[in-house]
Amino acid sequence: MSEAVRTMMRMDAEAAQEAAAQADAGFLWDFWYPAARSTEIRGQKLIKEMLLEVPLVLGRTSEGKVFAMRDSCPHRGIPLSYGRLDGKVVECCYHGWRFDACSGQCVEIPSLSGQDKLKVERIFAGHFPCEERDGYVWVFMNVPGARMPERIPAAPALTVFSDKYKITHLSCELPSHIDHGIIGLMDPAHGPFVHQSWFWRKRGSIHEKAKQFEPIPNGFRMSPHSPSTNSAPYQLLKKITGEPVTTTIDFVLPNIRTEIDQSGKMWFSSRATVTPVQRDLCRIDFVAAWNLFFLPVWVFRIFGNIFLRQDQETMIQQAEGLKHNPRLMLIDDADRPAKWYFALKANLIESRRTGAPMAHPMDGPVTLRWRS
């Protein structure tokens, strides 16, 4: 057996071990994840990011196309982010190996002599599909060492209802496992405690609610309904338009919560993603768009950041308790969405393992009741 074959076998084994370790971390592969804001990637700058414990280097070609590569040269493993981008090619800072930015294919190894027979074009640095949507650079993360799926869907796009609208982006990091971040995102009962404030809700405004949920592919929907009467912004919108306000909330694997609020011709659309960075660190990326003439971007950002910081502080406090591996429990009905999430995730993994159709944990529409 040649040394080259032994090296390839070691690389395959390492990829398999890495995939197993990351699966144990609870990550869902073969999905799009937001890696960075589009505004961060400009000129010939290379930036470093981490998604699902995979180090990435991101950049933009001279034609304006974004790209994502594994931040590791296949020669000696030095991060490619320490190298340089000439507009089309990423050059490693260690030995000058050069890789096409949009395919990861090696195009030159400067140290090769005329006697060398190594086929440079057969060498690839790790490369991931990459798209821009709504001001984010999305990266399609497939299982390390596995082939890319034959068909890849388009990266998620925020739903908008007019050509002209305002848009803004917010983010914060959460020191928690992706599962805790997601079930916190969909939790309907924490609002009066975590987000109590003069402009949103008060603890004394808690009352019983009943909402209908329905299954959708890879997720579930809180069916269109009138939003809570104890939320001042919704009541203001109703007074301005003179028409009812309806809210629709979706959760879709692996990590996306969308909310659409409409009243007459006015609308507000938002998407929150909880993206796993490492097994004990995730990031909320929040984008919102609206045509509400009375809501300036700067005002929304002030209150939006307050909300995110409240969630962040709560997750920091929760992480302190989770260090001791306490026994946890989920209750009905307020925690039913969390139960659906865990079932959806487990059923998707099982479907991919067996090739059988994915079973949905919901048989049909159901009404849940809780106090908040």
Side-chain angles (χ1 to χ4, degrees):
M1 184 183 297
S2 70
E3 180 60 31
V5 172
R6 282 194 292 269
T7 300
M8 289 300 295
M9 289 180 66
R10 283 197 301 271
M11 292 175 64
D12 289 344
E14 289 169 0
Q17 291 173 357
E18 179 180 28
Q22 293 169 339
D24 182 60
F27 300 150
L28 284 179
W29 300 93
D30 293 341
F31 283 106
W32 290 97
Y33 290 92
R37 287 287 312 282
S38 294
T39 52
E40 297 178 41
I41 305 175
R42 54 188 181 273
Q44 296 184 344
K45 179 182 178 182
L46 294 172
I47 70 168
K48 304 173 66 168
E49 292 292 344
M50 181 82 72
L51 282 182
L52 288 73
E53 297 190 343
V54 176
L56 300 175
V57 56
L58 308 177
R60 190 183 298 276
T61 67
S62 54
E63 287 78 27
K65 180 177 175 57
V66 291
F67 63 86
M69 300 171 66
R70 188 181 181 96
D71 195 15
S72 176
C73 179
H75 180 211
R76 299 284 185 86
I78 193 169
L80 289 171
S81 54
Y82 289 124
R84 68 183 188 91
L85 170 67
D86 69 1
K88 293 183 178 180
V89 172
V90 175
E91 181 181 278
C92 178
C93 68
Y94 197 1
H95 296 91
W97 287 33
R98 291 164 57 81
F99 303 90
D100 178 77
C102 292
S103 67
Q105 185 177 38
C106 186
V107 296
E108 182 184 355
I109 297 178
S111 61
L112 292 182
S113 69
Q115 304 299 314
D116 285 301
K117 297 182 179 180
L118 179 65
K119 295 185 181 298
V120 171
E121 67 277 7
R122 293 186 178 180
I123 300 173
F124 285 82
H127 184 267
F128 300 86
C130 194
E131 292 184 8
E132 289 188 87
R133 292 283 190 281
D134 310 316
Y136 291 101
V137 175
W138 293 77
V139 178
F140 188 85
M141 300 296 294
N142 69 313
V143 179
R147 288 187 177 183
M148 195 67 65
E150 292 184 6
R151 291 194 297 177
I152 299 175
L158 183 68
T159 301
V160 297
F161 298 91
S162 60
D163 294 332
K164 294 183 179 180
Y165 53 85
K166 300 170 185 176
I167 189 169
T168 193
H169 307 78
L170 304 171
S171 68
C172 72
E173 289 189 341
L174 306 177
S176 64
H177 186 275
I178 181 65
D179 288 343
H180 289 295
I182 288 178
I183 64 175
L185 183 73
M186 64 178 67
D187 175 19
H190 74 280
F193 302 93
V194 174
H195 299 303
Q196 56 180 294
S197 58
W198 65 266
F199 63 88
W200 190 247
R201 295 178 188 172
K202 299 179 180 179
R203 183 167 180 168
S205 68
I206 295 176
H207 63 278
E208 186 166 323
K209 299 177 181 178
K211 307 292 184 185
Q212 179 172 292
F213 290 78
E214 57 189 282
I216 58 177
N218 278 2
F220 51 87
R221 170 174 296 156
M222 184 186 292
S223 306
H225 61 278
S226 298
S228 300
T229 57
N230 57 347
S231 296
Y234 295 127
Q235 301 311 309
L236 175 62
L237 178 58
K238 183 178 179 180
K239 288 182 179 180
I240 291 175
T241 64
E243 299 189 41
V245 181
T246 60
T247 297
T248 304
I249 300 174
D250 288 0
F251 173 79
V252 178
L253 290 177
N255 61 345
I256 299 177
R257 179 193 186 275
T258 61
E259 179 172 342
I260 296 174
D261 304 301
Q262 294 177 290
S263 181
K265 294 183 179 180
M266 293 193 178
W267 57 270
F268 181 95
S269 177
S270 67
R271 181 189 64 226
T273 56
V274 184
T275 298
V277 179
Q278 297 174 338
R279 67 184 60 206
D280 59 352
L281 177 66
C282 53
R283 185 185 67 246
I284 293 181
D285 289 302
F286 180 87
V287 57
W290 64 90
N291 71 342
L292 311 177
F293 66 89
F294 56 87
L295 181 58
V297 169
W298 68 270
V299 171
F300 178 83
R301 289 185 61 84
I302 290 175
F303 294 112
N305 274 313
I306 291 174
F307 268 67
L308 282 185
R309 300 301 169 248
Q310 290 169 336
D311 282 326
Q312 184 183 45
E313 180 61 28
T314 299
M315 299 303 286
I316 290 172
Q317 295 169 344
Q318 183 187 35
E320 181 180 338
L322 292 175
K323 289 178 182 178
H324 308 289
N325 298 314
R327 293 184 63 182
L328 306 178
M329 61 185 294
L330 295 175
I331 63 174
D332 275 344
D333 280 353
D335 288 335
R336 190 85 66 86
K339 294 181 179 181
W340 289 333
Y341 161 68
F342 285 117
L344 283 165
K345 185 176 179 180
N347 293 353
L348 175 64
I349 293 172
E350 181 65 12
S351 172
R352 289 179 172 177
R353 186 185 70 83
T354 64
M358 176 182 165
H360 201 290
M362 300 176 67
D363 295 329
V366 61
T367 298
L368 302 184
R369 291 175 172 83
W370 66 87
R371 285 172 52 81
S372 70

